[in-house]
Amino acid sequence: MTPLTAEMTEAATPVLRRRNALKSESPNSTPYHEPVLLGETLALLAPAPGKLFVDGTLGGGGHTEAFLKAGAQVIGLDQDPQALAFAGERLAGFGEQFTAVHANFEEIGRVMDEMGIAGIDGALLDIGVSSWQLDTPERGFSFQSDGPLDMRMNPDAPLSAADIVNTAPEGELLRIFREYGEETAARRIAQQIVKDREARPFATTFDLVRSVEKVNPRRGRAHPATKVFQALRIAVNRELEVLDAALAAFSARLNPGGRFGVITFHSLEDRRVKTFFKAGSTEWLDRPEWPAPRRNPDFQFRLLTPKPAVASEAEQSRNPRSRSAKLRVVEKTYVH
Ligand SMILES: C[S@@+](CC[C@H](N)C(=O)[O-])C[C@H]1O[C@@H](n2cnc3c(N)ncnc32)[C@H](O)[C@@H]1O
């Protein structure tokens, strides 16, 4: 492991936000975000003294705190400055053992280069929004409360959800709702939005809820705008694209024996992780037209979770968010 020195920290400025420069802008709601699958994550990633971990989704710092308590050194990334501020303050007591970095996790290669770090021993991505982001109406993630139609995890990102809803061609809205929301009424919702935005641009989350409800009236337990909100959030934050980039980038930076875990909350993401991990942990490929099996050039992992780890019943009843969580973990066995 490469030790993390003050010079490396300095060299990485301006991407780095050091703990002591952070101010908590977040409400002191406790818990900020209950870490999901915490016991399973610790058992599978095995943080320990002498190991360097990257938490690509720092959030409220729940998983990172557990890694730090186990003795690992941790670099925590988040694209949301409010999350960084909160976690930075919360974990300040760990001193040099912890460094917070404002970055998208797809930028892990650049961040590590700027810090002078070649390899890591563990990494975690706990994808999606935090409970705090979801429960803060001003961030615009929730259809349950009225707020600006924003949904950017990184407030400096170029496009908000309102920008997309107000300007994207109908065909693009259709694609977003269909591909990222698997919304069966995608076409009618896209048409309704285009009609409504001619009368008045969309500004708030409830503006969007009202349009969706014209097509999908409320019935049953699921809110009719659930899939449309999920789809827009994925589009605004380029969530599938950055996940694909991050799977490759984190894998490339793992030391032999290093472990990489990804927690997902819906099938669009889980499918990508499952496929990537399976492709990397298959040593031999065979096809009927080949005379003999061939070695897989992408072989690099041992798959530690043939079936994903899911939350226990106790966790599911304590934290409903954990119900859809799936954790998949690989260990780097082979460095190309
Ligand atoms: C589910 S929360 C993580 C919670 C954290 N594991 C904990 O225990 O508190 C996800 C966090 O990751 C951040 N995030 C999501 N996608 C990101 C990305 N592509 N790059 C950096 N941060 C991201 C979000 O801003 C959010 O704060």
Side-chain angles (χ1 to χ4, degrees), residues 125-278:
L125 298 177
D126 172 16
I127 308 282
V129 282
S130 65
S131 315
W132 183 79
Q133 287 167 328
L134 209 53
D135 295 343
T136 304
E138 297 77 44
R139 303 301 299 269
F141 287 108
S142 175
F143 44 75
Q144 312 270 22
S145 42
D146 206 8
L149 187 58
D150 192 317
M151 301 194 195
R152 284 172 299 178
M153 289 189 223
N154 176 1
D156 298 330
L159 284 185
S160 69
D163 294 328
I164 294 179
V165 164
N166 287 322
T167 62
E170 187 181 312
E172 175 63 0
L173 292 174
L174 169 64
R175 184 191 69 81
I176 290 172
F177 299 151
R178 212 176 245 170
E179 261 180 48
Y180 303 155
E182 297 176 322
E183 167 60 68
T184 46
R187 182 176 299 280
R188 284 186 297 131
I189 293 171
Q191 285 167 344
Q192 188 66 49
I193 287 174
V194 169
K195 189 166 160 218
D196 290 349
R197 77 187 181 192
E198 275 164 18
R200 191 170 66 92
F202 286 76
T204 70
T205 49
F206 278 6
D207 287 344
L208 181 59
V209 168
R210 276 189 289 273
S211 273
V212 176
E213 280 182 342
K214 288 180 195 166
V215 176
N216 271 351
R218 277 181 201 249
R219 64 173 98 87
R221 280 179 56 205
H223 190 286
T226 306
K227 291 177 172 176
V228 166
F229 271 66
Q230 171 187 303
L232 275 172
R233 202 197 82 197
I234 291 174
V236 167
N237 297 288
R238 299 169 33 249
E239 290 181 33
L240 301 180
E241 202 181 318
V242 298
L243 174 59
D244 287 343
L247 288 173
F250 275 82
S251 304
R253 295 299 181 131
L254 284 177
N255 292 326
R259 294 182 175 186
F260 179 22
V262 185
I263 301 174
T264 59
F265 292 87
H266 57 78
S267 58
L268 285 175
E269 290 167 342
D270 181 55
R271 237 178 278 147
R272 291 174 129 79
V273 178
K274 181 180 169 182
T275 307
F276 184 84
F277 282 180
K278 187 159 178 249

Side-chain angles (χ1 to χ4, degrees), residues 4 7-19 21-22 58 75-81 84-85 98-117 154 156:
L4 199 61
E7 296 78 65
M8 289 174 183
T9 308
E10 204 57 59
T13 308
V15 290
L16 281 183
R17 301 183 157 235
R18 270 151 301 159
R19 292 171 310 280
L22 299 173
L58 182 62
I75 300 165
L77 270 54
D78 206 295
Q79 60 175 333
D80 180 350
L84 269 191
F98 170 64
T99 309
V101 181
H102 182 220
N104 192 302
F105 57 58
E106 71 172 338
E107 300 171 288
I108 184 64
R110 177 181 63 77
V111 170
M112 285 179 59
D113 285 347
E114 289 181 9
M115 297 176 87
I117 297 166
N154 176 1
D156 298 330

Side-chain angles (χ1 to χ4, degrees), residues 284-326:
W284 295 94
L285 302 173
D286 201 0
R287 295 219 187 116
E289 66 271 24
W290 293 349
R294 295 178 189 170
R295 199 153 191 283
N296 176 6
D298 297 328
F299 175 61
Q300 56 177 329
F301 301 133
R302 181 164 71 98
L303 187 61
L304 301 188
T305 49
K307 290 240 153 60
V310 295
S312 64
E313 271 178 34
E315 179 172 4
Q316 292 192 28
S317 54
R318 201 176 57 242
N319 180 9
R321 191 182 132 76
S322 71
R323 285 183 197 146
S324 48
K326 285 189 176 152

